[in-house]
Amino acid sequence: MDAPEEPQIYLITPPEIELARFPAVLASVLDAHPVACVRLALSTRDEDRLSRAADALREVTHARDVALVISDHTLLAERLGLDGVHLGDAARSVR
C-alpha cells in the first residue's frame, strides 16, 4: 500500500513585485524550504509586465524543479512556458 501524500507548500506572489529584487528573494525561500508551486498573481493585466515577471520567476522556479502557474491568463501560460493556470472564476472563462 502506498504511503499517503503529504501536504505541500504553495506560494502566491504579492500583487506588486520589484523585478530587481524579488527573484533573488524567491530563490532564497525556495532554497530554504520545500515548495511545490508558485503562483504569479500580480494585480496588473498588462501582458508586458506579466511576461517579464513570468520570465524572471520561471528561471528561478524551474531551476529548482518548482512549478510556476499564473492567475487567470490561460493564453499567457502556454506562450510563456509556465506549468499551468490558476482559474479564480472556476472554469467559466475557459471555453
Side-chain angles (χ1 to χ4, degrees):
M1 185 165 146
D2 291 334
E5 290 188 30
E6 294 292 320
Q8 296 180 317
I9 297 173
Y10 179 100
L11 299 178
I12 303 171
T13 66
E16 296 293 328
I17 62 174
E18 188 179 321
L19 281 180
R21 293 184 52 238
F22 189 78
V25 171
L26 179 61
S28 67
V29 170
L30 297 180
D31 289 341
H33 305 283
V35 173
C37 184
V38 174
R39 180 179 2 144
L40 180 59
L42 300 184
S43 61
T44 185
R45 303 291 290 172
D46 181 88
E47 287 190 18
D48 182 57
R49 286 183 62 201
L50 289 166
S51 296
R52 285 186 283 121
D55 288 343
L57 300 188
R58 187 184 59 247
E59 288 183 28
V60 172
T61 57
H62 286 183
R64 291 157 178 83
D65 199 27
V66 174
L68 178 62
V69 300
I70 192 167
S71 291
D72 300 317
H73 294 279
T74 308
L75 299 176
L76 280 180
E78 185 175 3
R79 189 169 79 212
L80 296 172
L82 304 181
D83 300 297
V85 178
H86 174 86
L87 298 174
D89 67 351
R92 290 179 287 215
S93 62
V94 178
R95 294 177 193 191

